[in-house]
Amino acid sequence: MNIQFKTVPLYLLTAAFGFTLTACHDDDDDVKSEETSIEANYIGKAVGNFSAEEWYPGGELGTTDNVSAGCYEDEAPAVTQMGLLEAFNKGEAFFERNYNTNTPPFNGLGPAAVRKSCLDCHPAYGHGKRVDRYTASWGNGYLLVVYHPTSPGSDDGPYVAEVTGMPQTIGTSPFLAPIDEDQIELEWKKLTSMESGIPMQFEDGETYELIYPDLYIPKSAFNTNPTPYDTGDVAFRLESTIGIIGTGLIDAIPDDSIKAQYQREAPYVDLNPAMWDKNANDWAPTAMYTANGVNRIKKFTYACTRGSLQDGAGANAIWNITNVSRSDRPYLYSTNAWAQKMSETPSVIAAIKANPLSPYYADGTDEGIAAAVKGLLSPGTNQFDNEWHNFEPEMSDNNFWAFMVWHRGLSIPRARNLNDPEVQRGKQVFTEIGCATCHRPKWQTTTDDYWAPAIITSNHLALPRYQNQTIYPYTDMVQHRLFMKNGIHGSWCRTTPLWGRGLSKINTGAEDRLHDCRARNEIEAIMWHGYSKKSDAYDSTLKFYHLSKSDRDAVVKFLRSI
């Protein structure tokens, strides 16, 4: 592929590649200083078709002025204004550090886990990176999806019960991982043609290339009894983590405002019936997420499964990714099928029998050890529903609060180059061809009446709050269907916020996009929206296809500036 974009601002290039440009360092610094000083004259002011507030996409309380490498890690001004910086820094450690089996406060990790740390999935706090081989290591932001398809090749179907919803490929000694990652087969295939008929060459002759993942996990890779293959046909998909910057601001968008957005779109596009009752023009009963008796609209994750950042997204992940228990989740993230298999595995029984200090030793007999393994590894409940589950929480309430201060306190970087006529043209074209319909630019946070679990509220602990902020995340918070080849599990996908993504390269070293990182740049991401004529974004993609090269480049530059 040979797509040529117009000039990327030099200050971004030097930040990312300065070590290769030392021979002309002085000249580059002069140009960089000149460009920076020119932009400085416009920051915070209305320019062209941008309002003054669009320089600060997270509002005054949620935007950092830092736009250099590492800016994804910055705390929002709300954190310092509320006196929460110490808690924010403490919470950051729980995101970055590797977990182990027995060293407080970073103990957990097992006996099965998805990753050793949150940072593994969110390299440099950004979107996950595309990988060629699935391993539970740093930079692999992928989560496996293992499900029973409703028909051959379908993206739809229930998760299998034999492995956890976020399947684990780490096992701590003496246990085997529920899925042996060495047997996972991942191939990136080139798309030969668009189902919709859109050519893979623009009208000016420039070509683009699209790739998609083909994933397969054989029956022998599953250390469960039964295996998913024993209970039906099995299919696989990849889902990448999204960037975690600005998630607290997303949480601050009022449910009523999201409802109004659904009502605006309902006459023109099909909406997920699990979220929206078309006849009633109101939420479907399954759109509600209830936590401690409080109802919130589901708005987090691609599938909109969680209604609050404080009981979803990171709050869920700090428990199930590293298997770290806490007082409100004092049980393992595991399955009965894995517990059954481990209780039947000779190497597991032998290793425990050789260690009388093991918590699984019981009476030291093969039968006693097997019963202890099955009992302790099976998923428990909040009420410790059997004799085996009596775990001491590994993460204290105060440490969880600090983690949530950090998670809710991450800022969004300031916008760049809004004074550039090409960026202004890009915004105009982006709107004209309909992209802003789903990637809605602007929201208002109003009171930010956030929900928090009892382990935070009972101790009268505060979280960063974003009251009455005008923010620019570029998402409608609604699920749509794009019908891509080997698409997203469940078909419906919440519109991903676009803010801050233009700084992905200098922060994470990659700029992969879409739910499984199949798009290696903005052009590929846009064109995947038009793979099928059934796609909700087909018309906009077709309009983008017919643009001149200069207008396509302007759209890309706009996307990299917001």
Side-chain angles (χ1 to χ4, degrees):
M1 187 171 102
N2 184 25
I3 295 176
Q4 297 296 320
F5 299 124
K6 291 197 174 181
T7 306
V8 176
L10 191 56
Y11 73 92
L12 293 185
L13 289 176
T14 53
F17 305 111
F19 62 90
T20 67
L21 304 174
T22 52
C24 52
H25 182 269
D26 292 340
D27 290 342
D28 287 346
D29 276 356
D30 290 342
V31 175
K32 175 183 175 182
S33 298
E34 181 180 355
E35 288 191 356
T36 303
S37 63
I38 292 173
E39 184 183 64
N41 294 327
Y42 297 96
I43 295 172
K45 299 177 182 178
V47 285
N49 53 0
F50 288 98
S51 65
E53 63 191 10
E54 287 180 82
W55 286 98
Y56 302 97
E60 294 180 1
L61 294 178
T63 307
T64 175
D65 271 313
N66 181 16
V67 293
S68 60
C71 64
Y72 283 0
E73 303 178 30
D74 285 4
E75 70 277 4
V79 171
T80 50
Q81 288 186 23
M82 294 180 65
L84 296 171
L85 185 58
E86 183 178 350
F88 178 92
N89 291 333
K90 181 180 180 182
E92 183 176 60
F94 290 102
F95 172 80
E96 294 186 349
R97 287 284 296 271
N98 280 349
Y99 285 79
N100 57 66
T101 55
N102 55 17
T103 308
F106 302 104
N107 54 311
L109 195 70
V114 182
R115 294 288 188 282
K116 293 181 179 179
S117 79
C118 304
L119 191 61
D120 285 349
C121 286
H122 298 273
Y125 293 53
H127 194 284
K129 296 183 180 182
R130 189 175 63 86
V131 298
D132 294 322
R133 180 174 174 269
Y134 187 96
T135 58
S137 58
W138 185 89
N140 174 16
Y142 285 122
L143 300 173
L144 300 172
V145 179
V146 186
Y147 65 104
H148 292 308
T150 54
S151 60
S154 173
D155 293 333
D156 300 323
Y159 290 103
V160 304
E162 290 74 28
V163 294
T164 51
M166 295 182 181
Q168 300 154 324
T169 60
I170 293 176
T172 57
S173 180
F175 304 109
L176 306 178
I179 300 177
D180 177 5
E181 65 180 25
D182 288 338
Q183 297 187 54
I184 298 174
E185 301 174 18
L186 172 59
E187 180 183 1
W188 288 95
K189 295 185 174 181
K190 290 184 180 180
L191 189 71
T192 56
S193 63
M194 300 275 267
E195 183 183 274
S196 64
I198 295 178
M200 299 188 69
Q201 177 175 304
F202 293 108
E203 292 168 331
D204 51 34
E206 183 174 80
T207 60
Y208 61 93
E209 180 183 270
L210 300 181
I211 60 173
Y212 63 93
D214 191 46
L215 184 68
Y216 176 71
I217 307 175
K219 181 176 181 178
S220 58
F222 290 93
N223 293 306
T224 62
N225 183 16
T227 74
Y229 285 90
D230 298 321
T231 56
D233 293 335
V234 188
F236 313 96
R237 292 290 185 265
L238 289 176
E239 287 184 12
S240 175
T241 53
I242 62 172
I244 52 177
I245 54 175
T247 12
L249 292 156
I250 294 293
D251 196 46
I253 296 174
D255 286 355
D256 286 348
S257 297
I258 299 175
K259 179 178 180 178
Q261 181 68 26
Y262 272 79
Q263 289 175 328
R264 278 192 289 271
E265 295 189 25
Y268 307 104
V269 65
D270 288 336
L271 299 177
N272 186 354
M275 290 293 294
W276 192 253
D277 184 332
K278 185 175 182 179
N279 293 327
N281 197 31
D282 204 344
W283 298 116
T286 48
M288 298 292 176
Y289 179 82
T290 303
N292 292 356
V294 178
N295 289 330
R296 292 287 182 176
I297 297 304
K298 296 176 180 178
K299 59 184 177 181
F300 281 103
T301 74
Y302 294 115
C304 287
T305 56
R306 297 277 170 169
S308 166
L309 185 65
Q310 287 69 246
D311 198 50
N316 190 47
I318 196 67
W319 167 66
N320 61 18
I321 295 295
T322 52
N323 231 336
V324 176
S325 63
R326 58 179 190 258
S327 65
D328 64 335
R329 297 189 186 187
Y331 49 96
L332 291 178
Y333 187 56
S334 63
T335 69
N336 288 320
W338 180 62
Q340 180 67 38
K341 179 66 175 180
M342 291 303 96
S343 72
E344 300 167 345
T345 302
S347 64
V348 170
I349 303 301
I352 294 171
K353 196 168 188 177
N355 179 16
L357 298 180
S358 169
Y360 306 92
Y361 188 77
D363 62 4
T365 66
D366 288 0
E367 295 77 11
I369 292 172
V373 168
K374 184 177 179 180
L376 286 167
L377 296 191
S378 64
T381 70
N382 283 307
Q383 290 74 38
F384 299 126
D385 63 345
N386 66 51
E387 62 181 298
W388 299 106
H389 296 111
N390 189 22
F391 304 139
E392 185 73 23
E394 293 156 328
M395 175 176 268
S396 71
D397 291 356
N398 189 267
N399 287 343
F400 175 67
W401 165 68
F403 177 76
M404 292 315 302
V405 168
W406 165 84
H407 200 347
R408 206 172 203 270
L410 287 170
S411 64
I412 280 291
R414 175 180 55 74
R416 288 83 50 211
N417 307 316
L418 304 189
N419 54 298
D420 186 331
E422 188 179 9
V423 174
Q424 295 168 14
R425 173 61 180 164
K427 178 186 179 183
Q428 178 184 343
V429 174
F430 183 84
T431 302
E432 288 176 346
I433 65 176
C435 299
T437 302
C438 295
H439 288 285
R440 169 183 166 176
K442 180 179 177 180
W443 290 85
Q444 193 75 25
T445 65
T446 67
T447 59
D448 187 12
D449 182 22
Y450 66 76
W451 176 90
I455 60 176
I456 291 178
T457 58
S458 63
N459 291 299
H460 307 290
L461 298 170
L463 297 173
R465 198 171 183 182
Y466 305 98
Q467 293 177 295
N468 303 314
Q469 299 296 292
T470 302
I471 62 175
Y472 290 83
Y474 283 86
T475 172
D476 61 357
M477 301 297 292
V478 176
Q479 289 179 300
H480 297 281
R481 291 177 295 181
L482 300 183
F483 296 101
M484 291 183 281
K485 175 97 173 160
N486 285 11
I488 191 167
H489 172 247
S491 295
W492 298 94
C493 183
R494 193 199 71 176
T495 305
T496 300
L498 299 178
W499 56 0
R501 292 299 309 279
L503 295 171
S504 180
K505 186 73 172 180
I506 65 169
N507 277 280
T508 71
E511 49 190 355
D512 305 314
R513 294 182 179 243
L514 297 182
H515 72 280
D516 55 11
C517 297
R518 66 176 63 199
R520 293 161 291 186
N521 53 52
E522 293 86 351
I523 295 288
E524 293 183 18
I526 293 169
M527 296 313 299
W528 265 117
H529 283 60
Y531 170 73
S532 170
K533 287 185 177 180
K534 296 184 294 183
S535 167
D536 288 349
Y538 169 73
D539 289 342
S540 293
T541 309
L542 186 61
K543 290 174 182 177
F544 181 84
Y545 169 79
H546 287 304
L547 292 176
S548 66
K549 176 172 171 52
S550 61
D551 278 349
R552 296 198 306 271
D553 289 348
V555 170
V556 169
K557 194 169 186 180
F558 160 71
L559 293 172
R560 293 187 175 185
S561 298
I562 58 174

